[in-house]
Each structure stands twice: as C-alpha cells, then as structure tokens.
Amino acid sequence: MAHAVLGEALGWLQASDNNRLAVFDATNTTVRRRDMIKEKVSEVPLLSVMFIESICDDPVVLNRNYRLKLQNADYKNRDPEQALHDFLERVR
C-alpha cells in the first residue's frame, strides 16, 4: 500500500506546476524503507525528499497508537499478537 500511495503523491506533484509539496505520512522507520523513498523521489526531476521524525516516549500514547496501527490494511486478518510483534519490530 505504501508504494502505491507514494506513486500517487509523486504523480500528483508532477501533474501541475502549482503542486509543490506532498506529505507522505507513513511508518518509514527502517533504512531500507527510507532508501526506497529516496530512490523513487530521485527518479523525478527537481524533487527532493525531507524526513520529519516525531519522537514520543509516553507509553500510554505509544500503546494506543500501536493498537490503532493494527487496524490498518497491513494487518487485516492477522493474529493481533503477531501483528503487534511485527509492528514493534518495524519501529524499533
């Protein structure tokens, strides 16, 4: 899903000279994922990428966000405990 959304954002940026900024809000915590984004953006002339990190260490907020993330399509029809473990590995 993230690849498709990134493609849509890049297409939108190229569709008009008035489109100057797209926000790709996703869990891009791994070096591999960020490298993929940089590579895709580099294929489009005159575009650059900037990563903005939000850091939270409040366990109540984090746990609530983890549970919300498990409702996304990435984890549909998966065992909740396995899904949570997978997500926690992604954000480590």
Side-chain angles (χ1 to χ4, degrees):
M1 180 183 288
H3 292 276
V5 173
L6 179 59
E8 287 180 27
L10 294 175
W12 180 82
L13 285 166
Q14 296 173 81
S16 169
D17 288 339
N18 293 323
N19 300 344
R20 305 207 184 243
L21 173 74
V23 176
F24 180 61
D25 183 16
T27 307
N28 302 309
T29 56
T30 66
V31 171
R32 189 170 128 198
R33 175 68 76 95
R34 289 183 183 211
D35 285 346
M36 179 276 298
I37 293 167
K38 289 187 280 190
E39 182 180 324
K40 285 288 188 191
V41 170
S42 73
E43 295 171 1
V44 181
L46 304 176
L47 287 187
S48 57
V49 65
M50 175 176 59
F51 293 100
I52 299 172
E53 264 186 58
S54 173
I55 299 173
C56 175
D57 60 3
D58 181 330
V60 173
V61 172
L62 290 170
N63 283 319
R64 184 178 63 229
N65 286 343
Y66 297 156
R67 297 293 172 187
L68 286 172
K69 186 70 173 178
L70 299 183
Q71 296 173 18
N72 290 352
D74 290 350
Y75 296 108
K76 186 178 180 178
N77 300 323
R78 291 199 45 198
D79 173 72
E81 290 307 312
Q82 286 182 326
L84 179 60
H85 177 74
D86 177 75
F87 183 74
L88 292 174
E89 286 298 310
R90 290 172 60 186
V91 297
R92 274 181 26 163

